[in-house]
Amino acid sequence: DVKVTQSSRYLVKRTGEKVFLECVQDMDHENMFWYRQDPGLGLRLIYFSYDVKMKEKGDIPEGYSVSREKKERFSLILESASTNQTSMYLCASCSGGDYEQYFGPGTRLTVT
Amino acid sequence: GIQVEQSPPDLILQEGANSTLRCNFSDSVNNLQWFHQNPWGQLINLFYIPSGTKQNGRLSATTVATERYSLLYISSSQTTDSGVYFCAVGQGNTPLVFGKGTRLSVIA
């Protein structure tokens, strides 16, 4: 079974803090993705990566950066957290040849 | 970009009833997935179905790629089927584009 794990299920941070959200997959997938989900706005793509050290901006990259130093790990970084980044963050991965994406359990981030 | 529309937005069923959820998309795709979001927020894979028909227990799905739609059938619904069902499409290994979901409530 494909397993995608995320470092925290719930996280509370203060405005201005630097926040790291970690995602790890155990299926040697080349492609990894970060989405956020907000009521009324659905799921929106933040960043994605097709390979180690590669990254591509999604639809809403402002205020975020990413890091992919190892194939299995894709980190989302909030450089200076703001209240409008309070959201559900979902990580996904898929292989290069089989396009089915698998999601982690999500991290509910609250910025106060 | 690709547009994805799901209908209906909300659905209330009596336990034991059947239902059909629809997903329309605006361009050709070679990736189409159906997900169920559980109460804790996790997206559970139901079907990977860019074309054809698949069945898994009480659930089945059909995608008619040439007509740009997919249907998810739920038979003999149970209260545990409640939640939000998402359709998502893509082209190859590109990021998925999600519909806004169908919120299903199954009442006993």
Side-chain angles (χ1 to χ4, degrees), chain A residues 23-42:
Chain A
C23 175
V24 178
Q25 49 89 10
D26 67 355
M27 285 302 292
D28 201 37
H29 284 170
E30 292 84 359
N31 309 307
M32 298 187 74
F33 310 86
W34 275 107
Y35 300 85
R36 64 177 279 180
Q37 184 178 21
D38 301 286
L41 296 176

Side-chain angles (χ1 to χ4, degrees), chain A residues 9-10 31 33 35 37 40-41 43 45 48 50 88 90 94-96 98-105 108, chain B residues 30-31 33 35 37-43 45-48 86 91-100:
Chain A
R9 293 300 301 273
Y10 300 94
N31 309 307
F33 310 86
Y35 300 85
Q37 184 178 21
L41 296 176
L43 279 93
L45 179 69
F48 58 105
Y50 288 137
M88 174 69 146
L90 292 158
C94 72
S95 73
D98 172 3
Y99 307 137
E100 184 173 5
Q101 290 191 22
Y102 297 87
F103 281 79
R108 289 193 186 274
Chain B
N30 55 10
N31 182 0
Q33 295 183 241
F35 297 93
Q37 189 163 39
N38 67 20
W40 297 272
Q42 182 160 10
L43 288 169
N45 291 42
L46 296 178
F47 293 102
Y48 170 65
F86 288 100
Q91 293 163 329
N93 62 356
T94 59
L96 292 172
V97 177
F98 282 78
K100 293 198 179 299

Side-chain angles (χ1 to χ4, degrees), chain B residues 22-87:
Chain B
R22 187 176 179 101
C23 172
N24 292 331
F25 45 95
S26 62
D27 204 347
S28 61
V29 299
N30 55 10
N31 182 0
L32 189 146
Q33 295 183 241
W34 283 98
F35 297 93
H36 177 215
Q37 189 163 39
N38 67 20
W40 297 272
Q42 182 160 10
L43 288 169
I44 307 299
N45 291 42
L46 296 178
F47 293 102
Y48 170 65
I49 185 166
S51 64
T53 298
K54 289 186 178 179
Q55 180 157 7
N56 184 4
R58 296 181 296 104
L59 273 60
S60 64
T62 294
T63 297
V64 183
T66 53
E67 297 187 21
R68 299 183 185 168
Y69 73 89
S70 183
L71 302 173
L72 177 69
Y73 305 96
I74 304 174
S75 64
S76 304
S77 56
Q78 300 175 357
T79 56
T80 52
D81 295 331
S82 296
V84 183
Y85 289 80
F86 288 100
C87 170

Side-chain angles (χ1 to χ4, degrees), chain B residues 6-21:
Chain B
Q6 291 186 243
S7 60
D10 295 280
L11 188 58
I12 301 175
L13 295 176
Q14 201 75 31
E15 199 170 26
N18 303 328
S19 62
T20 301
L21 282 58

